[in-house]
Amino acid sequence: MKAREMLSRAGMQSSELNSPQADAVAHVDGPLLVFAGAGSGKTRVITYRIANLVATHRVPPYRILAVTFTNKAASEMRSRLESLLGPDISRDLWVGTFHATCAKLLRLYGASIGVGKNFLVYDAQDQKTLVTRVVRELGLDEREYPPRTLLGAIQKQKQDGRGPDEMNIDSYSDRTVRSVYAAYEAALRAANAVDFEDLILLTVRLVESNSEEAESIRRRFDFVLVDEFQDTNATQYRLLRALTRDHRNLCVVGDDDQSIYRWRGADVRNIRGYKLDFPDAVVIKLEQNYRSTAHIVSAALAIIAKSYGREAKQLWTANDAGAPIELVAARDERDEAGYVIGRIREAVAAGVDRRQIALFYRVHAQSRVFEEALRASNLPYRIVGGMKFYERAEIKDALAYLRLVANPKSDVDFVRVVNTPARGIGDTTIERLSQFARANDESLLSAASHVHELGELGAAAKKKLAAFCALIEQLASSAAEMTPTALFDEMIEKSGYANALSADRTVENETRLENLKELRGSFLDFEAEMKALGETPTLEAYLERVSLQTNGDTPDSASSVTLMTVHGAKGLEFDVVFLTGMEEDMFPYRNAQHNSDEEMEEERRLAYVAVTRARKKLVVTHAASRQVFGTTRTNRPSRFVRDIPTHCIQTASTRLASIVAESEPHWSRPAFRKPLAGAAPPQEGRYVDREYFSDDTASDFAPAFRKGARVMHERFGIGEVRRSDPGENATVTAFFQGWGEKKILAKFLRPL
DNA sequence: ATTCCTGCCTTTTTT
DNA sequence: AGGCAGGAAT
């Protein structure tokens, strides 16, 4: 294909890009830093730049590496590149997550640093299991050193690029961490496994070494691009620098205002300090927002403006002001849920696609109330996060069998399935086998294969273990001559797993069988895909994909409302967003351990992320009281809410609805007289027609400003009503902390 | 070996 | 409040 043709196919007319976007796309050699504000067309810039490198500058596609954090982002980028450049070229580009890219490099070159070709990737659960085992073997008290905490400490070391011997030891507990870390590493290597951190860290060591392999990897890519750069941790950044050491063609794209993963090791300083490492870097800021209404952009900007140390940016939009942001005060979480669900039904009735509606909360625990309300009103919804497909026990069990077949050294998998389904191999047996295995320096499966040498084990136990070994061996020999799907079928049958589930026909087991069927479907998909690429589908390749695809890859084909945490919402956008639980101590989230300045900063950025997800309509809710971990808590509205300029906001309250509900028999209430078609009967008067929330202050003056009610004033903050005088120029006398009693025109007050 | 109970802890979790 | 892990009971 000719370059010009490719360019036009890439849609690269300047009219499609604004000026900073075009500058970023046109940049070729040397370091480039792009600050991409929310909704500023970041993905477009990255993909166009890649297209430009290939089409105009004739860079071979296989010499370009684009790194993302999520599989989803990677596949989106890939498909956009495919439509720009066509399948032949895009196939050769390296587009993938940090982890997938590193796994690929390790499989190609890892031998030189002692990483076998068929290593497994252990997920969070496996890691914890392994740490627990190590803790026990070291004879440590699990109560004093919870495996969870230790694993966290180990991960932190790894994310900072330190091995056990490179740790800073400041206390006795550091010493403990170090010894657990060392033993954990040894256990991983013995199992021929790596964890997520290893994927990065081992690749860094590989690329930084002086080996021939390091040289080849560094020569492999002429251009490296990174998306969501603000989310990189120390090791990931080190990797990027090592990969581009010789040419410095490192293009990073991100937004320090959207850095919300500090607690996972992400370091905003990577983006904020990029200039220090690359003083000659070209810096481009994308500040025009194409996504949201002007009201939403102003609100977002007001929230983030108070952030400290941020790179100066001024997000703006040419879009219309749009509908005001609604701020709704609810009594408690149930009131809040009822109100939100009512509003969602309204929106759906008005023709909004359910897929364009999202409900955010700070923590998962808040989802339950919403879920119940959604179910009660028959609204289809999906929850992102929570228990993911690949985390379900039956899926992990099935995969553990196959992983054990692929990698007989994987003790974690052995322990998982040796007695699943129950085969009468109990803890005592496994404990003795472990000791035996340790004494002989071999894996559990291998120890079990010559278990007859183990004196202190009962004959019955030996027989059972031998039978299990035979099962795995049989499956292993099948693996050599079968397709992965056929092997899966055989495993499910021969292991007795399917039988155990169908024997006891409970609803849960039905679901589990369904899930296994779905897993089988993923084997079929995998085989079809590999066939299309002309490759042989191997079990190992399948397992690799699955271990890096922990994402719940929810098919959003179903038309559902989406519920998720704000973290889960990053990178997404919706027409209508409900941002719930906007109270102090909920959002910003705070408890005894979590209240540092840094954390507060991150909460602020999180609020910014939340607000910028909305395209057309944002409804913010907060509850006066809520049940948290069994106790009732009363909270003021979030500081972030108070940061939103009042001219963007329209306040409402669910209170009028409840007053109507209490004072009138339900059949006489307007909302009940004409229920929405197909809707479940409303409960407790929460589903009230919108007219009831009209912004006409007179109609809800009395309840909103009755004595004792809380109100907010732009200057004086939150106050308590002492006295109110309705009428044309209604006034309210209220007490404000730090200001005393003030008499104020009601229109300057917001009921809370 | 399995089951049941009690006591614990509770953010966010791209891979 | 609820889910889970560890320990006791069967």
Side-chain angles (χ1 to χ4, degrees):
Chain A
M1 200 189 298
K2 288 187 208 83
R4 177 165 311 166
E5 203 180 318
M6 224 182 272
L7 262 174
S8 73
R9 184 160 175 190
M12 310 242 307
Q13 287 106 31
S14 57
S15 64
E16 291 192 22
L17 298 169
N18 66 32
S19 148
Q21 283 177 338
D23 291 346
V25 167
H27 178 94
V28 180
D29 290 311
L32 172 65
L33 165 58
V34 180
F35 284 102
S40 64
K42 169 191 71 171
T43 313
R44 155 178 287 229
V45 164
I46 297 179
T47 51
Y48 276 38
R49 176 162 183 264
I50 292 172
N52 190 46
L53 289 173
V54 174
T56 313
H57 299 277
R58 298 271 161 199
V59 179
Y62 56 87
R63 301 193 63 85
I64 298 176
L65 168 66
V67 196
T68 65
F69 274 85
T70 66
N71 290 307
K72 203 173 160 203
S75 55
E76 268 172 30
M77 192 178 292
R78 170 137 266 157
S79 75
R80 286 177 72 162
L81 285 164
E82 198 171 307
S83 58
L84 286 180
L85 293 166
D88 294 340
I89 290 175
S90 76
R91 192 177 305 134
D92 289 345
L93 291 162
W94 278 60
V95 179
T97 62
F98 268 102
H99 299 271
T101 304
C102 287
K104 220 158 141 188
L105 290 173
L106 281 177
R107 293 208 200 270
L108 285 172
Y109 302 99
S112 68
I113 53 162
V115 178
K117 221 172 144 70
N118 285 326
F119 61 84
L120 288 175
V121 181
Y122 275 9
D123 70 9
Q125 272 178 55
D126 300 328
Q127 291 173 42
K128 203 180 143 217
T129 308
L130 205 53
V131 171
T132 309
R133 216 182 68 197
V134 162
V135 167
R136 281 179 195 162
E137 279 170 13
L138 291 175
L140 293 167
D141 181 3
E142 282 170 65
R143 298 177 64 85
E144 196 180 343
Y145 299 99
R148 235 181 89 112
T149 315
L150 285 168
L151 179 59
I154 291 170
Q155 282 172 338
K156 191 155 180 11
Q157 295 302 323
K158 287 190 159 190
Q159 283 160 4
D160 287 342
R162 282 187 291 270
D165 301 330
E166 293 146 348
M167 274 180 66
N168 300 321
I169 304 293
D170 294 326
S171 65
Y172 181 75
S173 76
D174 286 346
R175 224 172 283 278
T176 309
V177 171
R178 181 172 60 186
S179 59
V180 175
Y181 183 6
Y184 169 78
E185 287 291 284
L188 275 176
R189 296 295 94 84
N192 190 24
V194 302
D195 62 19
F196 286 127
E197 278 71 34
D198 279 335
L199 286 171
I200 315 289
L201 187 52
L202 293 174
T203 311
V204 165
R205 296 214 178 114
L206 180 59
V207 182
E208 284 181 353
S209 69
N210 282 322
S211 61
E212 236 170 81
E213 285 80 5
E215 185 78 27
S216 339
I217 298 176
R218 282 200 304 270
R219 277 210 215 110
R220 202 169 181 119
F221 305 110
D222 291 331
F223 292 90
V224 175
L225 298 92
V226 197
D227 190 16
E228 305 281 15
F229 183 61
Q230 77 282 356
D231 290 338
T232 48
N233 63 34
T235 329
Q236 287 159 345
Y237 183 39
R238 210 170 120 190
L239 174 67
L240 295 170
R241 297 197 64 182
L243 281 174
T244 57
R245 199 184 73 187
D246 301 336
H247 49 71
R248 301 171 76 251
N249 290 329
L250 176 59
C251 163
V252 302
V253 181
D255 182 1
D256 56 331
D257 293 336
Q258 293 186 63
S259 164
I260 56 172
Y261 284 108
R262 195 185 81 100
W263 48 276
R264 284 188 99 240
D267 193 342
V268 226
R269 289 176 304 180
N270 290 345
I271 189 165
R272 287 189 178 155
Y274 188 77
K275 262 284 204 186
L276 300 174
D277 289 331
F278 296 93
D280 57 328
V282 172
V283 180
I284 291 173
K285 293 177 185 176
L286 308 179
E287 298 171 296
Q288 181 173 3
N289 173 297
Y290 294 98
R291 177 187 294 157
S292 310
T293 66
H295 276 323
I296 290 166
V297 171
S298 319
L301 200 56
I303 289 171
I304 204 62
K306 291 193 173 177
S307 175
Y308 292 100
R310 67 189 279 260
E311 179 73 21
K313 286 178 243 69
Q314 188 77 14
L315 203 67
W316 65 278
T317 186
N319 294 343
D320 291 341
I325 294 167
E326 273 173 64
L327 177 61
V328 180
R331 275 171 307 168
D332 53 38
E333 73 273 19
R334 298 187 52 203
D335 189 33
E336 178 185 48
Y339 177 81
V340 168
I341 275 58
R343 292 300 308 276
I344 292 176
R345 285 179 24 171
E346 241 172 54
V348 171
V352 179
D353 184 344
R354 281 190 289 263
R355 276 167 298 198
Q356 284 306 324
I357 302 177
L359 198 164
F360 302 159
Y361 32 78
R362 177 64 180 80
V363 299
H364 273 305
Q366 290 166 262
S367 71
R368 230 192 69 245
V369 191
F370 291 111
E371 230 181 314
E372 283 164 7
L374 282 160
R375 232 179 326 214
S377 67
N378 276 328
L379 257 172
Y381 65 91
R382 67 184 185 115
I383 293 199
V384 178
M387 183 59 100
K388 287 167 196 144
F389 183 73
Y390 287 108
E391 286 169 10
R392 286 165 215 232
E394 60 276 16
I395 303 302
K396 295 216 46 153
D397 289 342
L399 291 175
Y401 270 105
L402 299 176
R403 299 201 325 170
L404 189 56
V405 169
N407 179 1
K409 287 183 186 171
S410 187
D411 289 351
V412 168
D413 292 307
F414 179 94
V415 171
R416 178 162 191 111
V417 295
V418 70
N419 199 33
T420 321
R423 301 193 171 87
I425 302 174
D427 293 344
T428 337
T429 307
I430 293 171
E431 186 41 47
R432 289 194 185 136
L433 182 67
S434 304
Q435 279 169 16
F436 179 62
R438 223 172 306 148
N440 289 294
D441 195 23
E442 62 184 344
S443 71
L444 291 175
L445 185 65
S446 131
S449 68
H450 53 99
V451 74
H452 49 272
E453 296 164 21
L454 219 178
E456 54 194 303
L457 213 54
K462 284 183 186 174
K463 205 170 153 191
K464 288 168 188 161
L465 277 174
F468 180 74
C469 283
L471 168 69
I472 300 300
E473 272 160 32
Q474 190 190 353
L475 290 172
S477 68
S478 303
E481 54 202 43
M482 281 184 184
T483 64
T485 313
L487 178 69
F488 175 83
D489 291 340
E490 179 167 311
M491 180 276 292
I492 287 289
E493 282 310 315
K494 297 258 166 73
S495 67
Y497 203 93
N499 280 339
L501 286 179
S502 24
D504 182 12
R505 292 198 86 72
T506 60
V507 192
E508 287 93 338
N509 283 345
E510 296 273 328
T511 320
R512 291 189 184 113
L513 285 168
E514 279 300 307
N515 287 336
L516 287 172
K517 233 184 189 165
E518 203 178 322
L519 183 64
R520 188 178 188 277
S522 81
F523 273 86
L524 287 173
D525 290 348
F526 167 72
E527 283 177 18
E529 207 177 303
M530 294 302 269
K531 204 167 286 174
L533 289 171
E535 290 177 47
T536 326
T538 65
L539 176 62
E540 284 77 11
Y542 174 84
L543 290 174
E544 158 118 348
R545 157 176 319 201
V546 159
S547 58
L548 297 175
Q549 188 89 50
T550 53
N551 198 3
D553 68 325
T554 0
D556 43 18
S557 50
S559 171
S560 315
V561 172
T562 305
L563 274 67
M564 59 183 140
T565 64
V566 179
H567 282 90
K570 201 180 97 178
L572 304 177
E573 53 183 81
F574 300 88
D575 282 343
V576 183
V577 166
F578 292 88
L579 177 54
T580 69
M582 287 303 281
E583 300 126 40
E584 282 294 297
D585 294 4
M586 276 307 287
F587 196 170
Y589 189 91
R590 202 158 34 158
N591 69 19
Q593 294 92 51
H594 303 275
N595 49 17
S596 71
D597 289 352
E598 279 297 308
E599 278 162 321
M600 185 54 82
E601 281 292 292
E602 186 144 315
E603 294 290 318
R604 180 170 290 284
R605 297 193 291 260
L606 194 55
Y608 172 76
V609 168
V611 168
T612 51
R613 300 306 97 196
R615 278 197 286 253
K616 298 179 182 157
K617 180 78 186 169
L618 176 63
V619 179
V620 178
T621 65
H622 57 92
S625 77
R626 105 173 29 243
Q627 296 274 107
V628 181
F629 302 135
T631 50
T632 306
R633 281 208 317 219
T634 9
N635 286 129
R636 314 186 312 151
S638 165
R639 65 191 67 193
F640 305 135
V641 167
R642 283 175 276 144
D643 289 337
I644 302 176
T646 39
H647 71 263
C648 303
I649 291 189
Q650 176 185 352
T651 52
S653 160
T654 64
R655 194 173 306 181
L656 189 64
S658 4
I659 286 167
V660 172
E662 282 152 21
S663 59
E664 267 182 80
H666 70 87
W667 59 84
S668 73
R669 272 173 263 144
F672 294 179
R673 275 190 243 118
K674 48 173 179 99
L676 295 167
Q683 298 165 349
E684 298 179 39
R686 292 207 192 85
Y687 310 123
V688 180
D689 280 354
R690 261 195 89 179
E691 296 89 76
Y692 273 85
F693 304 106
S694 71
D695 36 37
D696 172 12
T697 356
S699 71
D700 62 7
F701 178 84
F705 296 125
R706 65 158 185 257
K707 190 163 187 240
R710 295 186 313 149
V711 292
M712 186 150 101
H713 184 268
E714 185 151 32
R715 174 119 175 269
F716 305 127
I718 304 242
E720 191 185 297
V721 175
R722 289 283 155 86
R723 196 190 126 90
S724 61
D725 307 276
E728 178 106 59
N729 281 321
T731 57
V732 171
T733 310
F735 178 83
F736 294 92
Q737 195 67 253
W739 298 90
E741 233 171 57
K742 297 275 175 191
K743 189 173 177 181
I744 293 161
L745 280 175
K747 65 178 176 188
F748 292 121
L749 290 172
R750 298 210 308 255
L752 291 178

